[in-house]
Amino acid sequence: MRFVIVLQLLFLVVNSCQEFWQHWGNFSCTSSANRCHESKNFSSVEIFDQFLSIECGEETINSRLMRCLNVRNVKEMKFTDCFLSGIDFGIFIFGYVIERVQILYETYRHNRNFESASFNNMSSLRSVEIRGVKTSELINLTFHNVPSLTSLKIERYNFTLFPNKPFRELINLSELYIRHGELRVLPEDLLYNLYNLTKLDLSYNNIESIHPLVFRNLTRLEYLDLERNRMKDLPSDMLKGLYNLRKFSIFGNDDLSQIPSGFFKKLHNLTIFLAWSCSFSSLEEDVFSDLINLKIIHLNFNNINHLSTNLLKNNKLLTKIFCAYNKISTLSTGIFHGLSELRQLYLAKNRLENLPEDVFQNLSSLHILDLSKNRLTFLHENIFLPLTRLKLLDLSYNNLTKIIGEHPFGSSKHLRIVSLKNAGLTQWPVINWAEYDMTEVDFSNNRFDIVKLPIYTSNPIKINLSNCKIRTIYIDDSRYGFQMPTYDLSNNEITCNQELQQFVSVFKSNMEFAKEMFPYIEKTKCYGEERNLLDNTSFVVIGNYCPVNCYCFAEHNHVMVNCSGKRIDRIPKVLVPNVTVVDLSNNYIKELSDVDCVTWRYVTHLRLSNNSLSNISDYVLLPNLKFLLLDGNRLTQLPSGLMSLVDVFPEFKVYLSRNNWNCHCHFAI
């Protein structure tokens, strides 16, 4: 009797498989039967290691496939473009230890590709992914006796509703993704029974309405993502009881205008709050007061116009604040008080015009500060000094005119990148380059006119000076380090006149050095001329001898040093060799006591007009002097030596007008 029953079962199996193959067509299989392809309906089956991939053609999936293919040891299955109508995957994979199922729709050949599916009695199933579903308004999924299922993903779908309590038996589910779809409402019972859920992603839907109690049982939830939906309001008790929540994201809800008072109450474990691209215009002063472990807050692209002084008073562990692209016009002095852990602060594209001098006083750990695209017109001299670990400073696109102080970028030895692109600068900042180890500085698109460029720095720094309207360049040859910077001087208005002679003379004799520091120097032309910057320009070899802030050149057989109007209060100690004309007019020089007669021995013309000289000693008079301008000083009498020069050299000329001459009986000229 048993023998007859066995024969009958074998007959049923064989007959079933014959019907299956007739239905699916003639497959051609490679060796080991790990790949089959049916050309008529464009269906294929691949078996690789423990992975089974089934791609359907015009036909729906057949429950006899597994046993007819004699599949063994499969743990993962992928179904591509298979029309599903009432399939029970528990029956389909009966006898197999399947851990992961993927249902993917990629070709979209049908307006509807899914009716319903059941996952029953699949004790080993851990993960289900369904992507690209096109069904009716309601999706029909059933889960029963799947105790190991911990991850469920439903992505890129067209339905708008779930049936009542759709996941009620998934008591061990820890991750649920329902994203990139048409879901509009979160009803009260949507997440019923999901007590072990730790991650919930509902991003990129059309959610407009959220029931206040929809998350009430998710006491283990750590990540809640509601990005890119259409929410206009947040129920004030929506997060009540989610004490384990660590990350909450609502960015991209364009019409969301406020966070209710007490919304984050008792959420002490929340560390990340993402809310950029909403429509917040203000924030309640105590809105973050319970978030004592908050580390990252992202509020870019809102309409916030003010940050109250106590907004962040309880958020001592903050490491990143993103508040760019808002409408903030002022910052209070204490807004960042106590944020000693803050690493990154982004305030770009606001309306800031001025900053309190001590606004960054407590940010000793700050690495990145972005103040670009504001309306800053002035920065206090020491405003960046507290930022001792700063690595990147962005002040581009402001209206600063100038930056003042001995430490214009603070005192951080870690500072590497400074951006002052289009910052409104008209004056070249006085920078002690030895104080910094910067590798990149962007000064492009400013209006400097005159710059003084270092040729020795601590690092091989790249300095961008393109589009700056630069007319004249001076070289600062002080040794701030032992590395050579490189410059981009493209699209400027460098004028080849006597003021450029110091720059030309430094590099004319060493073109390899010049090309390394200024990569395009050979092709850089004089502004408005066809000649190149370093060609056909008269110059004198001045080396390191031209006084700082002066320019030295050769003209009409004279070697000349022009220091006029440079605000100097003493004469230069060292001059260019063979100098004959020295112009020190329009300065603040009070005495000539430091004249070196050896260095000055060839000087024939000395211009000292409009200074503060009150007397001249005999010993400072130069042996070859023929022309002396002393007008516009504070002289009361002349030394006898000067009168001797007038007597001995008929060609000697001296100008003495506009002084305080003391005329009396013993005074004679």
Side-chain angles (χ1 to χ4, degrees):
M1 184 64 180
R2 289 182 180 178
F3 179 73
V4 172
I5 293 174
V6 171
L7 284 177
Q8 287 177 341
L9 289 174
L10 288 173
F11 175 79
L12 289 173
V13 171
V14 172
N15 186 57
S16 176
C17 285
Q18 286 177 347
E19 290 177 2
F20 168 79
W21 290 116
Q22 288 174 1
H23 189 64
W24 273 58
N26 297 317
F27 282 78
S28 58
C29 295
T30 60
S31 59
S32 302
N34 62 2
R35 181 182 178 89
C36 296
H37 178 70
E38 192 276 315
S39 60
K40 180 179 179 181
N41 292 321
F42 303 100
S43 301
S44 67
V45 177
E46 289 186 63
I47 306 171
F48 180 77
D49 197 9
Q50 296 181 330
F51 180 78
L52 171 63
S53 176
I54 302 170
E55 184 175 349
C56 301
E58 299 295 329
E59 305 296 338
T60 187
I61 196 69
N62 193 296
S63 61
R64 295 165 291 179
L65 178 63
M66 297 291 282
R67 68 174 181 272
C68 291
L69 285 176
N70 195 25
V71 176
R72 298 178 182 177
N73 300 322
V74 170
K75 291 187 177 181
E76 298 185 28
M77 301 183 67
K78 182 173 74 171
F79 302 87
T80 305
D81 294 327
C82 296
F83 183 78
L84 298 181
S85 178
I87 185 171
D88 188 330
F89 283 97
I91 296 175
F92 184 82
I93 58 93
F94 182 75
Y96 293 88
V97 183
I98 302 299
E99 296 180 356
R100 183 182 182 191
V101 173
Q102 290 179 285
I103 302 170
L104 312 178
Y105 296 96
E106 298 177 349
T107 61
Y108 302 105
R109 292 194 295 263
H110 307 288
N111 291 330
R112 292 176 63 179
N113 54 30
F114 187 95
E115 290 290 345
S116 61
S118 300
F119 297 85
N120 298 322
N121 302 312
M122 301 173 67
S123 60
S124 58
L125 186 62
R126 297 179 181 273
S127 171
V128 173
E129 180 181 352
I130 303 172
R131 188 171 69 221
V133 167
K134 297 178 72 175
T135 185
S136 61
E137 186 180 68
L138 186 72
I139 189 170
N140 195 351
L141 285 174
T142 303
F143 298 92
H144 177 65
N145 193 22
V146 282
S148 298
L149 188 64
T150 57
S151 176
L152 173 60
K153 295 181 181 180
I154 305 173
E155 301 177 321
R156 304 193 182 281
Y157 56 87
N158 74 330
F159 60 85
T160 59
L161 296 172
F162 281 97
N164 292 336
K165 302 179 181 179
F167 313 118
R168 59 183 176 273
E169 294 197 34
L170 301 181
I171 59 175
N172 292 316
L173 194 69
S174 60
E175 296 183 2
L176 175 59
Y177 305 82
I178 307 173
R179 57 193 181 189
H180 293 278
E182 304 295 328
L183 193 63
R184 297 176 186 173
V185 177
L186 297 185
E188 180 180 1
D189 62 357
L190 177 65
L191 307 171
Y192 177 78
N193 238 18
L194 299 183
Y195 298 107
N196 289 300
L197 201 65
T198 59
K199 186 169 186 177
L200 176 59
D201 188 342
L202 298 168
S203 62
Y204 292 85
N205 284 288
N206 292 319
I207 299 172
E208 297 178 351
S209 175
I210 300 178
H211 193 283
L213 302 179
V214 66
F215 306 124
R216 68 188 183 281
N217 294 318
L218 309 184
T219 55
R220 296 189 179 182
L221 194 66
E222 297 180 7
Y223 303 92
L224 176 56
D225 193 339
L226 291 166
E227 300 167 3
R228 296 293 182 189
N229 280 284
R230 297 184 177 181
M231 296 182 296
K232 296 181 180 180
D233 299 294
L234 295 171
S236 58
D237 291 337
M238 187 179 84
L239 304 181
K240 186 177 181 180
L242 305 187
Y243 302 129
N244 288 302
L245 196 63
R246 296 177 57 194
K247 178 181 177 181
F248 178 53
S249 178
I250 50 174
F251 85 77
N253 286 272
D254 298 339
D255 296 324
L256 192 59
S257 59
Q258 65 177 354
I259 303 174
S261 179
F263 186 72
F264 295 113
K265 189 175 182 180
K266 297 184 180 181
L267 300 188
H268 302 318
N269 290 311
L270 192 71
T271 59
I272 302 174
F273 174 50
L274 308 179
W276 73 87
S277 293
C278 295
S279 296
F280 302 142
S281 59
S282 62
L283 297 168
E284 296 290 336
E285 187 174 56
D286 63 348
V287 66
F288 303 130
S289 60
D290 275 19
L291 305 183
I292 58 176
N293 286 300
L294 190 65
K295 292 185 177 181
I296 299 173
I297 183 170
H298 203 318
L299 294 166
N300 285 0
F301 297 99
N302 277 281
N303 297 312
I304 300 170
N305 52 45
H306 177 67
L307 300 177
S308 62
T309 302
N310 294 320
L311 180 67
L312 308 172
K313 66 177 182 179
N314 290 341
N315 312 126
K316 307 300 185 183
L317 299 182
L318 272 172
T319 60
K320 298 179 183 179
I321 297 176
F322 298 83
C323 208
Y325 291 83
N326 279 282
K327 298 179 180 179
I328 302 169
S329 57
T330 59
L331 291 175
S332 59
T333 297
I335 179 63
F336 306 122
H337 181 74
L339 303 186
S340 59
E341 299 296 320
L342 194 65
R343 304 289 195 276
Q344 300 177 22
L345 176 57
Y346 298 89
L347 293 167
K349 198 61 173 68
N350 276 283
R351 299 177 180 179
L352 296 170
E353 295 182 4
N354 293 292
L355 296 172
E357 184 174 5
D358 55 353
V359 68
F360 305 128
Q361 187 65 40
N362 299 284
L363 304 186
S364 57
S365 297
L366 197 68
H367 292 168
I368 298 174
L369 176 58
D370 188 350
L371 293 166
S372 64
K373 298 180 180 179
N374 277 283
R375 302 173 182 178
L376 294 171
T377 59
F378 172 77
L379 291 171
H380 290 278
E381 180 175 345
N382 298 322
I383 192 168
F384 301 126
L385 281 180
L387 309 181
T388 55
R389 296 185 182 179
L390 196 64
K391 296 180 179 180
L392 184 152
L393 175 62
D394 194 343
L395 294 167
S396 56
Y397 294 95
N398 278 286
N399 301 306
L400 289 169
T401 306
K402 62 181 179 180
I403 296 179
I404 60 175
E406 296 182 2
H407 304 88
F409 310 129
S411 58
S412 173
K413 293 295 184 180
H414 305 280
L415 190 62
R416 297 295 180 268
I417 299 174
V418 173
S419 180
L420 282 155
K421 179 179 181 180
N422 208 339
L425 297 175
T426 59
Q427 294 185 28
W428 181 252
V430 178
I431 302 173
N432 183 353
W433 297 91
E435 296 292 324
Y436 302 105
D437 290 327
M438 292 183 288
T439 59
E440 182 179 338
V441 177
D442 191 345
F443 282 122
S444 63
N445 293 280
N446 285 285
R447 296 292 181 268
F448 284 125
D449 187 38
I450 299 174
V451 295
K452 188 175 182 181
L453 307 181
I455 58 175
Y456 302 105
T457 51
S458 299
N459 285 325
I461 184 175
K462 295 180 180 179
I463 301 178
N464 188 349
L465 288 165
S466 62
N467 300 293
C468 281
K469 299 287 185 181
I470 295 172
R471 179 179 57 83
T472 297
I473 304 171
Y474 292 107
I475 291 299
D476 181 356
D477 57 10
S478 301
R479 285 196 175 271
Y480 299 109
F482 300 95
Q483 301 296 326
M484 183 189 307
T486 57
Y487 295 93
D488 181 354
L489 287 169
S490 59
N491 299 315
N492 278 288
E493 300 178 359
I494 302 172
T495 305
C496 294
N497 57 17
Q498 61 185 20
E499 294 186 38
L500 196 65
Q501 291 304 310
Q502 188 220 17
F503 173 80
V504 172
S505 61
V506 169
F507 295 107
K508 182 87 172 183
S509 59
N510 192 337
M511 284 302 299
E512 293 302 317
F513 185 67
K515 286 188 290 185
E516 189 172 348
M517 188 174 294
F518 302 93
Y520 305 105
I521 194 69
E522 285 187 304
K523 298 180 180 179
T524 302
K525 296 185 179 299
C526 302
Y527 184 65
E529 303 182 45
E530 287 301 316
R531 60 174 172 156
N532 290 338
L533 196 65
L534 297 184
D535 290 347
N536 304 315
T537 307
S538 61
F539 69 97
V540 61
V541 178
I542 60 175
N544 297 336
Y545 300 110
C546 192
V548 175
N549 291 329
C550 303
Y551 57 88
C552 307
F553 54 96
E555 187 177 273
H556 305 304
N557 298 320
H558 286 286
V559 177
M560 308 179 72
V561 172
N562 188 342
C563 301
S564 177
K566 299 302 181 182
R567 299 183 179 184
I568 58 178
D569 59 4
R570 64 189 64 187
I571 66 171
K573 290 184 178 181
V574 181
L575 291 177
V576 176
N578 302 321
V579 63
T580 56
V581 179
V582 178
D583 188 349
L584 297 171
S585 60
N586 302 302
N587 285 296
Y588 304 105
I589 299 171
K590 296 180 179 179
E591 58 181 357
L592 301 177
S593 59
D594 293 331
V595 172
D596 178 4
C597 291
V598 176
T599 303
W600 292 66
R601 66 184 181 276
Y602 297 112
V603 174
T604 59
H605 291 64
L606 177 59
R607 296 167 182 159
L608 287 163
S609 303
N610 302 315
N611 276 281
S612 301
L613 294 169
S614 58
N615 63 78
I616 300 177
S617 302
D618 281 338
Y619 74 90
V620 301
L621 296 175
L622 306 173
N624 293 307
L625 195 64
K626 301 294 188 295
F627 188 89
L628 177 62
L629 274 72
L630 292 170
D631 54 305
N633 280 278
R634 300 176 181 176
L635 296 171
T636 58
Q637 58 184 6
L638 293 174
S640 57
L642 181 60
M643 304 309 300
S644 299
L645 286 175
V646 174
D647 294 336
V648 174
F649 300 104
E651 70 276 18
F652 180 79
K653 296 181 179 180
V654 58
Y655 292 78
L656 300 169
S657 63
R658 295 184 294 114
N659 279 281
N660 301 323
W661 301 116
N662 184 11
C663 297
H664 52 78
C665 296
H666 303 288
F667 181 77
I669 296 181

